[in-house]
Amino acid sequence: MGNLNTMKITSLVFAVWALTLTNVASAANYKTVLIHGFQPQQLLFGSPNSVSSDGESYWADYWGALADERIDWPSFERVKGKIATDYVWPKLKSMSERGVCDQGCVLVTHSTGDLVARYIIDNQANWLSAAGLKPLNIIATFDIAGAGGGSELADLAVNVTQGATSWNPLIEAALQAWLGGPLTDKLGVLNDLKVNNARQLAALPSDRAPRLRFVGEGDLFLGATKLFLKGKDDSVVASHSSCGSSKAGDFGSCSSSIAFNGKISSQGDAVTSFMPNHYPMLMSDNYDHLSIILNKQRGKVTAANDALRLDNGDTISFSTYQQDYGFWIFKTHYKYVSQSDSQSMSKLIYNTL
C-alpha cells in the first residue's frame, strides 16, 4: 500500500513537472521579429547592398541579440512599392516556409517600423495564402515610439523639397538635426511618413492583432525639431502618432488620468480616441525617440495601462506602485513602473516577452 501511494505521489509530481515544462516551452515558442524605423543616412548613402547591415546596426545596442528575426527595409524606397515587394515579401515568404510564427510571433517595431508593420498586418495573410503558404500567426506588436500616424517633420521635408514651404533658419536647423545632413530630392519613405499619407496607409487592417504602444517625451537636437511637432513629442514623433490616436492633434498624454511624468491627475488634453486595436502601455518624459530602444536607464517610467489581455488569452502586464510627494492637501500622487528606476524602458518591455 505504501509503495502504491509513493507511486501515485511520484506520478502526480511528474505530471505537474511535465505541465510546467509544457507551459514554459509554450511561452518560449513565441518568436520576436524586429522591424526598424526610418534611417536618414540611407537617403544620402544607402544602397541595396547595405540594407541588411544597416538593419543589424540599428538594433545592435540591445534588441538585436534578443530577437529571432528581423525585417530590414530601405528608407530610400516607398512602403507600397519596393519595400513591400523586394524586402518585406521575401522575408514573410521565408518565415512562413520555415514555420517561424506557427506558435506565434510578436513584432517589435520602432518609429516608421510601426507603419511598415501595419501594412504587413493588413496584407500578409492574403499574400501568403495566394502563394499557397500559411499566413503568419501574429500575436501582437510592440510599437516603440511608433510613427504610424506620421511625423510633421516628414511633411516639412517634403514640402521644402517641393517648394511648398519657404526655407528659413529654423527649418534648416530642424531638418539638419533630424536628417543628419543636407536635404536632397531623394525622399523615399518620407513621402509615406507625411501625416495624412501615413494615416491613410492600411488604416483599417483586416487582422486584429493588438498594437501595444510605448511612448517617450524626451528631448533631442537641443529642441530644434519640437517647434514643428504637435503637442507632446519625443523630438521626432508627436504623441498623436506614438500613442496611436485616431486623429492628429495637440495631445499632452496617452492617458486621460496620468501624465507622461507619472503624475496622477486629470489630463484634459489627452488622447481619447485611438486607431483600431491600439493600446498605449508605457510612457515616460525621460526617453527621447532614439534612447527609447537602447538599454540605458534614463529615468522612471509610468503606465498608461498596467495590463492588457490579448485575444489568445495571454496577458501583458506591468507591476506598478504609487509614490506620494508633499503633505496634506499639497500631496501629489505619482505612478511608476517597478524597477524603472534601475532598468531601461527597453528592458522593461523585453521582460514582458
Side-chain angles (χ1 to χ4, degrees), residues 70-133:
R70 289 194 330 266
I71 298 178
D72 302 326
W73 55 273
S75 294
F76 49 80
E77 299 291 358
R78 300 290 300 274
V79 173
K80 294 175 69 173
K82 289 189 176 182
I83 290 176
T85 60
D86 293 8
Y87 296 89
V88 170
W89 164 244
K91 187 67 177 185
L92 298 182
K93 181 174 181 291
S94 171
M95 289 169 60
S96 177
E97 291 170 340
R98 291 181 287 122
V100 171
C101 295
D102 285 356
Q103 299 301 317
C105 276
V106 173
L107 308 183
V108 176
T109 79
H110 178 242
S111 191
T112 313
D114 169 23
L115 189 60
V116 175
R118 195 167 77 218
Y119 195 67
I120 290 172
I121 288 170
D122 192 35
N123 291 285
Q124 64 94 10
N126 289 334
W127 292 345
L128 291 168
S129 295
L133 296 170

Side-chain angles (χ1 to χ4, degrees), residues 114-163:
D114 169 23
L115 189 60
V116 175
R118 195 167 77 218
Y119 195 67
I120 290 172
I121 288 170
D122 192 35
N123 291 285
Q124 64 94 10
N126 289 334
W127 292 345
L128 291 168
S129 295
L133 296 170
K134 185 178 181 180
L136 305 184
N137 178 20
I138 300 174
I139 301 297
T141 73
F142 282 31
D143 301 307
I144 306 172
S151 172
E152 288 81 1
L153 297 181
D155 287 77
L156 191 64
V158 173
N159 290 343
V160 166
T161 302
Q162 296 177 347

Side-chain angles (χ1 to χ4, degrees), residues 21-341:
L21 284 184
T22 300
N23 288 338
V24 171
S26 176
N29 281 337
Y30 290 134
K31 304 297 185 182
T32 304
V33 183
L34 303 178
I35 307 178
H36 63 74
F38 170 58
Q39 301 192 73
Q41 80 281 0
Q42 289 187 340
L43 298 185
L44 290 173
F45 310 111
S47 73
N49 295 331
S50 67
V51 172
S52 179
S53 60
D54 287 346
E56 182 178 7
S57 298
Y58 194 99
W59 299 103
D61 177 80
Y62 181 66
W63 285 97
L66 303 173
D68 299 286
E69 299 282 344
R70 289 194 330 266
I71 298 178
D72 302 326
W73 55 273
S75 294
F76 49 80
E77 299 291 358
R78 300 290 300 274
V79 173
K80 294 175 69 173
K82 289 189 176 182
I83 290 176
T85 60
D86 293 8
Y87 296 89
V88 170
W89 164 244
K91 187 67 177 185
L92 298 182
K93 181 174 181 291
S94 171
M95 289 169 60
S96 177
E97 291 170 340
R98 291 181 287 122
V100 171
C101 295
D102 285 356
Q103 299 301 317
C105 276
V106 173
L107 308 183
V108 176
T109 79
H110 178 242
S111 191
T112 313
D114 169 23
L115 189 60
V116 175
R118 195 167 77 218
Y119 195 67
I120 290 172
I121 288 170
D122 192 35
N123 291 285
Q124 64 94 10
N126 289 334
W127 292 345
L128 291 168
S129 295
L133 296 170
K134 185 178 181 180
L136 305 184
N137 178 20
I138 300 174
I139 301 297
T141 73
F142 282 31
D143 301 307
I144 306 172
S151 172
E152 288 81 1
L153 297 181
D155 287 77
L156 191 64
V158 173
N159 290 343
V160 166
T161 302
Q162 296 177 347
T165 298
S166 300
W167 191 262
N168 65 54
L170 291 176
I171 291 176
E172 180 179 12
L175 293 181
Q176 283 275 357
W178 179 42
L179 300 175
L183 183 65
T184 72
D185 57 0
K186 190 177 183 180
L187 298 175
V189 79
L190 287 182
N191 291 290
D192 299 312
L193 265 181
K194 293 182 65 176
V195 172
N196 286 339
N197 291 350
R199 290 185 168 276
Q200 292 172 13
L201 184 67
L204 299 170
S206 54
D207 192 307
R208 296 181 59 190
R211 314 294 307 276
L212 281 63
R213 319 296 289 182
F214 302 91
V215 185
E217 195 235 323
D219 294 336
L220 270 176
F221 317 129
L222 301 177
T225 56
K226 286 184 169 291
L227 179 64
F228 303 97
L229 295 166
K230 291 186 175 181
K232 299 290 188 180
D233 62 82
D234 63 11
S235 295
V236 173
V237 175
S239 56
H240 71 78
S241 186
S242 54
C243 294
S245 170
S246 61
K247 61 182 180 180
D250 299 325
F251 299 111
S253 177
C254 302
S255 166
S256 59
S257 61
I258 191 164
F260 268 101
N261 66 357
K263 185 177 181 180
I264 301 173
S265 62
S266 178
Q267 305 294 307
D269 57 355
V271 178
T272 57
S273 176
F274 296 89
M275 288 189 276
N277 308 308
H278 283 57
Y279 307 96
M281 299 301 291
L282 301 188
M283 306 187 300
S284 176
D285 64 344
N286 297 301
Y287 291 85
D288 58 58
H289 191 75
L290 301 180
S291 66
I292 198 169
I293 61 168
L294 306 180
N295 192 24
K296 295 179 176 60
Q297 196 274 344
R298 291 294 184 94
K300 291 182 179 179
V301 173
T302 191
N305 288 292
D306 294 7
L308 178 70
R309 187 175 178 84
L310 305 181
D311 291 342
N312 68 351
D314 287 343
T315 298
I316 299 297
S317 63
F318 297 92
S319 174
T320 61
Y321 65 94
Q322 182 173 307
Q323 187 166 351
D324 298 336
Y325 297 94
F327 66 97
W328 196 37
I329 62 173
F330 306 105
K331 184 178 292 185
T332 54
H333 311 287
Y334 288 77
K335 181 170 74 172
Y336 298 121
V337 176
S338 300
Q339 299 185 312
S340 64
D341 58 346

